[in-house]
Structure formats: C-alpha cells, structure tokens
Amino acid sequence: MKALVFEGPGRRTWREVPDPVVEAPQDAVVRIDTVTICGTDLHILKGDVPTVDPGRVLGHEAVGTVTEVGSGLSTLKVGDRVLVSCITSCGRCQYCRTGRYGQCLGGGGWILGHRIDGTQAQLCRVPFAETSTHLLDDAVSDEQALMLADILPTAYEVGVLAGNVRPGNSVVVVGAGPIGLAAVLTARLFSPAVLAVVDLSTDRQAAALRAGATHALDPGRSLLEQVRELTGGLGADVAIEAVGTPGTFETCVEIVRPGGHVANVGVHGAPATLHLERDWIRDLTITTGLVDTATTPALLNMVASGQLDVATLVTHRFDLGAIEEAYEVFSDAGRTGAMKVALSAGA
C-alpha cells in the first residue's frame, strides 16, 4: 500500500510500505476512506516529538471501512463504517476504566502515528478496535466524523471542560487555528458572555467570528488591556492556549483574572516560563492534558442532530494520493488560509 512516512525531522515521503495485518485478537484493519492532517503531525516533522521514530507512518485521524477483524472482536465486523479515534483504549487498565483513555497503561493512548503506524495510508491496523473506533451511521458524513477524531474532543475536553467554562464566563481563546476554532464551537455550548479570540491572521479571526466568537482581539494592541476592557477590569475567567509556543502560553497566564483558569491545549516543543515570582499570589489554576476522547459519542450525537456545526472547519479537499500537496497547503496556512484539509481515497 501507499503511506505517508516520517523519514526524520523535516522529511516525509509518500511511498509503498507493507500492508498492515491483524496481529492480535482485538485488532481490526481499516481501509482509509477519509483522512486529515493535524498540527501535531507538523510538530513531529519539526522534531518536536522525539518519540516518533523515522519510518513511522503518520496520522491519527480517519474515517474508514473495516476490511479484516481479529478473532477476539464480537461487535465489529467487516464492512462497518467507523471513525478511527486519535486515542486507542485497551478498555481494561486503571485509567481506561475511569475514562482516562489518553493515559492508557495497556498498550493504548496516543499510539497511532506515534508509537505504531498511523492513518495517513490506504490501510491502517487499529489495536483494541472495539474500544478505539466508533460506528457511524448515515446521519454523519465522513468529513463531519473526521472532525471528531481529534480536534473537537481535544478542544472540548482539554480546553473547555478542563478550563471549567461556565455560563456567563469570559473566555479568551489564544490561537484561531483548527483547535482554536473547535474550542470556540464547543465553548459556545456553555453560553459564555464573552468569547474572544486572539490570532495574527485576519482570515482566522473572521473564521472564529463566524464560528460564534463575540470578539476578535487586535494583536497589535496590549491584549491584557483589551481583555480588561471586556471584563470590567478583571481579566478573563478562562484562557485557552491553542497554539503551543512559549509566548502564547505566557500570554494566557497574563490575561486571566485572579482565580482564573489557563487550559493549555497546544503541543509545546520548547520550554515556557511560569512567573511564579509574580503569579504565586493570583490563585490561578493551570491545566494541561492529552485528549481522552471520552466525549466523542456525545459530540457525534450533537453533530448528527444538528446542534454542532463542524462543516466550516474543512477548507481544502484532496485526493489521498495528493497528500504531499496537502501537507504544503496545510503547513502554509498563513498564505493558503487552510484550516482542516480532508483527503479522500475516492476523490
């Protein structure tokens, strides 16, 4: 089969690799029908995730059709249309039994495109397939489901829920890329009084306003002053970091009010400074996290019922064989305006 292979920092190739096969009773092999590229894939290519070995097939988000099942599977069958989650769950360990699938001790967690070959390929082996995929029906399209493989549950769980967003809150999302937009979409479920975004791109600011943000802040002015203007001088109740750079994290800490919450969602490749000499007195809560995808079934229900509109997140579409071009477009979002790209095996 053909697959997108990480060859080391800065290098990737679309080339032939061996077809995956069932290796364990709980495995399934899935034919990839629709796949996307994540900002985390770009971090891997930059060398920010040294645990990814050269030769690894990238990707951890896909919708596909089951083509082979292991002997231990009873509820998944050949021909099923499934969402392949970015998180794999053994379903048995201490963390999985409490819904913390991202911390799975039984061989799961974030392994696709990280520890084992991933989804940016014609076929993918999915371990623990019954607890790591979601059956889809016709009410949810491939592209809609694809947005729930990673960015929607990540933004919702690690940003909105971990940030303790509540009705009437003031929420500032720093970064209006795909994760930032997903944070806007899911924060709206809690009716914040202020839902502001920060981004250097006017196109992304506009996309965030269309997604439901109430304000797009001017990056050329003091962000702290602008946030205080919107919050009666207090600062934000919640700041969601959706970029993954030292500067954006430090900005989030600066703009929250005393007693506020910083929810870090971005993937960081460099240290950030926490000014405890200044902030120890401010009663701040700072959370980090890897998505668990425990909320994926609920999000799927909201998409199917029309309560959550994810259609605007996909801006570019490609044939799967054009994945190198898709990477160029996605990685140069400032020029191309790309948010999420969708690659279809049938395009």
Side-chain angles (χ1 to χ4, degrees), residues 36-39 42 147 151 175-182 199 201 203-205 207-208 210-211 311-316 326 329-334 336-342:
T36 188
I37 302 168
C38 182
L42 302 185
M147 298 303 99
I151 64 168
I179 285 287
L181 280 192
D199 202 282
S201 166
D203 288 340
R204 290 192 166 189
Q205 291 176 13
R210 290 194 298 271
T312 58
L313 293 172
V314 177
T315 56
H316 293 73
V329 169
F330 183 68
S331 62
D332 193 10
T336 64
M339 295 298 292
K340 290 296 282 185
V341 300

Side-chain angles (χ1 to χ4, degrees), residues 27 40 83 98 109 112 125 158 160 164 171 214 223 245 250 261:
D27 286 355
T40 304
L83 168 64
T98 56
L112 290 173
R125 179 180 71 90
V158 186
V160 175
N164 200 33
V171 180
T214 59
L223 293 177
T245 67
E250 292 162 22
H261 198 129

Side-chain angles (χ1 to χ4, degrees), residues 242-307:
V243 181
T245 67
T248 51
F249 172 78
E250 292 162 22
T251 292
C252 286
V253 175
E254 181 181 30
I255 63 176
V256 293
R257 64 169 175 81
H261 198 129
V262 175
N264 182 88
V265 185
V267 176
H268 289 263
T273 301
L274 180 60
H275 288 282
L276 286 177
E277 80 285 356
R278 177 194 67 198
D279 295 328
W280 68 270
I281 202 171
R282 295 176 60 210
D283 297 343
L284 301 181
T285 299
I286 298 173
T287 56
T288 65
L290 176 65
V291 63
D292 295 309
T293 67
T295 63
T296 300
L299 293 169
L300 277 169
N301 286 339
M302 283 188 271
V303 169
S305 64
Q307 296 178 52

Side-chain angles (χ1 to χ4, degrees), residues 102-121:
Q103 304 301 323
C104 176
L105 297 171
W110 174 40
I111 58 173
L112 290 173
H114 179 206
R115 298 292 194 177
I116 67 172
D117 288 341
T119 59
Q120 289 171 10

